Amino acid sequence: MPLPPGPHTVESLLRVIEARDAELVLLKLMNEKLRLQLARRIREQYGASSERFDDGQRTLIEAAPLPAELTPLPKVVPAPAANAPALDRSLPAHLPREELVHRVPATHAHHDSAGQACGCSACGGRLRRIGADVSEQLEFVPARFKVIRHVRPKLACVKCQTIFQAEAPSRPIVRGIAGPAFMAHVTVSKYCDHIPLYRQSRINARSGVHIDRSTLARWVGRGEKLLDPLLAALGRYVLAAEKLHADDTPVPVLSPGKGKTKEGRLWVYVRDDRPAASEDAPAAWFRYSPDREGRHPRKHLEKFRGVLQADGYGGWLRLYQQGQAIEAACWAHARRPWWDLYVSTGRGEDSVAAQALRRIKALYAIEEDIRGQPPDVRRAHRQARAGPLLQEYHDWLTGMVGRVSRKSDLAKAIAYSLTRWQALTRYRDDGRIEIDNSAAERSLRGIALGRSNYLFMGSDAGGDRAAAMYSLVETAKLNGLDPEAYLRAVFERIAEHRVDRVHELLPWNIGRAQPLPQRQAA
């Protein structure tokens, strides 16, 4: 603020100082806001970095001591990660072995029982075996195509001249040349390994098999139509759950006639109660919509009744208001604004954001102790241990409200939790509910990887096709199956399988009837 003209008094100078102080505060707030927006933009464009909070000092929020009536819980040991030092690194036993014996130079002065020369090259004596060193080397045999010729001989009776011939075997595509294994390979390569069809066409051409991308696309489309009854059965199974995880992600879709893309959405609904000791099979059901209007998830979930665990998207609100679903909010989303603030302020250990992160970290520590326990046990531990921490956190947030600017990002982080407090704390009193919505977010990771490998989906029909294939691929992965082996078994059977028994082809059923290769820890 410039100094006013004329003689300056003490009062006028004080007013100038006050105005400049107010302007400085405003500029600091603006700078903080722009830094936070830049951090978010970088994360959206280049991918999120790890949000692991390593507390530099001993956490100030200690979990409440275990009440006498609650016995210590046995630890649920998860499968080791692939980079864990205790993981067995030996080569898998199921791989075929080819043995190569490397012999030392020997003379023909002596021969063993197999006729091999075993004369000592130093003194002429006889060499005898005293042991061997064995080492293994992993080798790769390139994938290869083969052609199966179906021969159906015609037989005629020499007496009555009746002609007999075996029925033609069923094919996934009527009169199509693609076999079940090849269709499964194309599908998994596209929707699990994120290899676009034009790249697959080039890869096949290196083996001398020239199949145009448009032909591969038609095969994928015909395969999706063949799988429609199975996908309907999968959807019915998912919607019959008492609790669902839900989320969505944008996908670019070509807009016909405009020469540009629009933003479609892929929605996922996950049924996975294994953390609450349920033996029900996990499943993921994807749906596509050309936009993000709330009518789409309402239509998807019109037959669902139960707890819906999701983010703060407003499209879920109508489901909660009509009593169709019970809202369970996600603590990972409530934590994320604090993490953004923590990063944008230089990761200060004494900052308000760091204090909030410590409090939330204490809640997650309790979840690690009770993961895999029955709902009633989880509820009892949460009420006794997380209950006091939640109340302290709520009091701390409430006390901060009047001390920060209402337009600051700090106020927005506080408001996100306080406005959803009832939904955020519902998990405390219901052992079926998880603390966050990570189950749905994990199912969307493959789509995020795929977006970096293709420019867009060709049409809304392509979006529906992607939702169908992602459903089967992700559900197979959730059940520990190799997605390609699972789809190969499905394509071999589904053309002649009875529609009223299509549930037998769901991953947890087909894997029980016919053992399929299991996926290794990754």
Side-chain angles (χ1 to χ4, degrees):
M1 177 180 178
L3 290 174
H8 302 145
T9 62
V10 174
E11 291 77 7
S12 65
L13 292 175
L14 288 174
R15 284 196 297 271
V16 171
I17 293 174
E18 290 175 356
R20 289 182 175 177
D21 286 345
E23 184 178 2
L24 182 60
V25 171
L26 180 62
L27 290 175
K28 286 183 177 180
L29 289 174
M30 182 63 70
N31 181 54
E32 178 184 344
K33 181 178 181 180
L34 292 175
R35 288 175 60 186
L36 188 61
Q37 290 177 347
L38 178 60
R40 288 174 180 166
R41 178 61 179 169
I42 291 175
R43 187 179 65 190
E44 290 173 358
Q45 184 173 358
Y46 298 106
S49 59
S50 172
E51 294 184 3
R52 180 182 177 89
F53 176 65
D54 295 316
D55 198 355
Q57 53 183 308
R58 187 172 182 269
T59 179
L60 304 178
I61 311 298
E62 296 290 349
L66 201 63
E69 62 271 15
L70 294 181
T71 57
L73 298 174
K75 280 285 187 181
V76 178
V77 181
N83 58 354
L87 186 67
D88 184 8
R89 294 288 183 177
S90 60
L91 297 177
H94 70 274
L95 295 179
R97 258 64 176 179
E98 178 182 333
E99 188 171 283
L100 298 178
V101 179
H102 304 276
R103 296 180 175 274
V104 297
T107 68
H108 291 275
H110 300 277
H111 293 82
D112 58 19
S113 59
Q116 297 285 343
C118 61
C120 176
S121 59
C123 67
R126 184 177 184 276
L127 299 176
R128 66 183 180 89
R129 182 166 178 161
I130 60 174
D133 291 332
V134 179
S135 62
E136 293 188 329
Q137 181 182 23
L138 185 64
E139 191 54 279
F140 176 72
V141 179
R144 60 188 179 88
F145 289 92
K146 68 178 181 179
V147 177
I148 298 178
R149 301 182 67 213
H150 296 279
V151 180
R152 298 184 295 133
K154 294 181 180 180
L155 305 177
C157 177
V158 297
K159 183 177 181 180
C160 65
Q161 303 302 313
T162 303
I163 298 177
F164 298 90
Q165 187 179 33
E167 293 184 0
S170 64
R171 302 188 182 197
I173 300 175
V174 179
R175 294 187 295 277
I177 64 171
F182 187 46
M183 288 190 63
H185 177 71
V186 172
T187 302
V188 170
S189 296
K190 178 175 174 61
Y191 295 105
C192 184
D193 299 328
H194 322 296
I195 305 176
L197 294 180
Y198 78 91
R199 293 186 188 173
Q200 293 190 49
S201 180
R202 293 177 181 176
I203 294 172
N204 296 337
R206 292 203 295 264
S207 297
V209 179
H210 299 275
I211 303 176
D212 191 69
R213 181 196 64 82
S214 60
T215 302
L216 295 176
R218 284 196 300 273
W219 289 351
V220 173
R222 296 288 294 274
E224 186 262 334
K225 292 298 182 184
L226 193 64
L227 297 171
D228 275 348
L230 182 61
L231 292 163
L234 178 63
R236 289 192 297 269
Y237 175 81
V238 169
L239 295 180
E242 296 179 346
K243 173 184 68 71
L244 284 184
H245 295 269
D247 205 351
D248 68 292
T249 190
V251 288
V253 182
L254 185 63
S255 185
K258 297 183 179 179
K260 58 182 181 180
T261 60
K262 62 181 181 180
E263 188 177 86
R265 309 296 296 194
L266 277 175
W267 309 79
V268 65
Y269 306 98
V270 178
R271 175 178 179 174
D272 189 357
D273 295 320
R274 291 175 297 176
S278 173
E279 295 183 357
D280 294 338
W285 187 49
F286 287 79
R287 306 299 288 164
Y288 169 79
S289 66
D291 51 57
R292 206 191 184 198
E293 294 183 10
R295 59 188 174 89
H296 300 299
R298 290 197 295 272
K299 182 179 180 181
H300 301 158
L301 300 176
E302 60 184 354
K303 295 183 180 179
F304 171 71
R305 299 294 183 273
V307 176
L308 183 63
Q309 192 140 21
D311 56 17
Y313 167 58
W316 312 117
L317 188 59
R318 184 77 64 85
L319 294 170
Y320 306 142
Q321 292 174 341
Q322 295 176 347
Q324 180 179 344
I326 300 172
E327 181 183 9
C330 172
W331 273 96
H333 283 84
R335 179 186 182 276
R336 197 153 294 154
W338 293 113
W339 175 260
D340 292 336
L341 283 169
Y342 176 68
V343 173
S344 66
T345 54
R347 301 175 184 259
E349 297 301 329
D350 296 326
S351 63
V352 175
Q355 296 177 47
L357 291 174
R358 291 190 193 100
R359 295 177 183 273
I360 298 174
K361 183 178 181 180
L363 297 176
Y364 272 88
I366 298 172
E367 295 303 303
E368 292 180 5
D369 293 339
I370 63 176
R371 185 172 293 114
Q373 303 298 329
D376 55 341
V377 175
R378 284 154 56 101
R379 181 182 65 251
H381 278 260
R382 286 169 173 173
Q383 290 176 341
R385 300 168 62 188
L389 298 182
L390 288 168
Q391 185 60 50
E392 290 177 11
Y393 184 47
H394 184 270
D395 295 341
W396 181 76
L397 290 175
T398 306
M400 292 286 295
V401 170
R403 297 163 52 190
V404 299
S405 170
R406 289 183 296 176
K407 295 184 178 181
S408 66
D409 290 298
L410 186 58
K412 293 178 182 177
I414 295 172
Y416 187 97
S417 294
L418 290 180
T419 55
R420 298 170 175 82
W421 191 253
Q422 183 178 5
L424 280 171
T425 56
R426 184 162 278 123
Y427 85 101
R428 174 193 56 199
D429 303 314
D430 191 335
R432 301 170 301 167
I433 303 176
E434 297 304 309
I435 192 173
D436 58 30
N437 197 34
S438 296
E441 294 191 358
R442 285 193 297 268
S443 294
L444 291 175
R445 286 179 181 172
I447 299 174
L449 290 173
R451 277 197 302 258
S452 63
N453 284 355
Y454 57 77
L455 296 177
F456 49 78
M457 293 182 179
S459 63
D460 290 334
D464 291 328
R465 188 177 306 126
M469 295 308 184
Y470 280 129
S471 298
L472 295 178
V473 166
E474 290 298 325
T475 300
K477 290 162 61 177
L478 285 174
N479 285 272
L481 300 179
D482 175 5
E484 186 167 339
Y486 167 66
L487 285 179
R488 180 171 62 247
V490 170
F491 282 130
E492 287 173 351
R493 306 182 191 184
I494 196 168
E496 295 184 347
H497 201 83
R498 289 176 51 177
V499 175
D500 60 341
R501 295 173 57 182
V502 73
H503 62 276
E504 296 174 350
L505 300 182
L506 291 169
W508 51 92
N509 290 331
I510 198 172
R512 189 182 302 118
Q514 174 182 342
L516 299 176
Q518 302 291 309
R519 300 180 70 249
Q520 301 296 319

